[in-house]
Amino acid sequence: MNDLHIERARSGARLADWRAVHNTVIPTAVLSPDEVRERAGRNLLDVAYLGDVAVGCSTVRPPDGETAAATVIARTLPGFRGRGFGTALYERGLAHARTLGDGGVETVVLASNEEGLRFALARGFVEVERYVLPGTRFRS
């Protein structure tokens, strides 16, 4: 992990990398460049790089009118999971979320992402509901 560094996604290149990771991890909810720019205006978006290769991304949503909690979401590309990159993204996001208020922290994990569910549960999150994006298929 010595070559891992996390950058704020503010510019075109960083936003494009954030989008590429997001769309790979969540192929049933592909975002356009305009949608990513809009999200960057209201959320904190980061990209994790191993050297110059994007390996993950994260989103920190501030509390809003619906919840007092901030939301931290860490995504790691499948080929880079289990190496601490998601943890690094999550911890950075969590540190930022804690500056946004004392309403707690939530996360969102796709029900089809078993690795993500294990990651969240291992960090003390409690599952309160499940959602499945349209077009998601489960293997039996």
Side-chain angles (χ1 to χ4, degrees):
M1 279 210 345
N2 290 343
D3 290 339
L4 183 74
H5 59 282
I6 300 174
E7 304 285 335
R8 186 75 25 90
R10 293 181 184 149
S11 68
R14 297 283 187 249
L15 290 174
D17 289 343
W18 186 96
R19 178 177 175 259
V21 172
H22 175 279
N23 290 349
T24 298
V25 174
I26 310 172
T28 56
V30 170
L31 297 175
S32 71
D34 286 340
E35 289 170 314
V36 172
R37 279 190 294 279
E38 186 272 329
R39 286 178 185 220
R42 59 186 161 86
N43 302 319
L44 176 81
L45 307 181
D46 284 339
V47 183
Y49 293 92
L50 185 60
D52 60 357
V53 176
V55 298
C57 72
S58 66
T59 302
V60 178
R61 295 180 193 154
D64 59 23
E66 293 181 30
T67 179
T71 302
V72 177
I73 306 168
R75 302 169 199 87
T76 305
L77 291 171
F80 296 96
R81 293 179 182 159
R83 296 167 56 184
F85 305 142
T87 298
L89 280 162
Y90 167 73
E91 289 175 353
R92 179 177 163 121
L94 184 61
H96 180 72
R98 288 183 173 144
T99 70
L100 300 175
D102 60 0
V105 176
E106 298 177 342
T107 193
V108 178
V109 181
L110 287 175
S112 58
N113 181 353
E114 293 177 19
E115 293 167 309
L117 287 172
R118 281 192 302 275
F119 182 91
L121 292 172
R123 280 146 187 86
F125 286 97
V126 176
E127 184 176 343
V128 294
E129 70 179 276
R130 286 190 179 221
Y131 78 101
V132 178
L133 292 172
T136 300
R137 296 182 183 203
F138 293 95
R139 294 183 211 164
S140 54

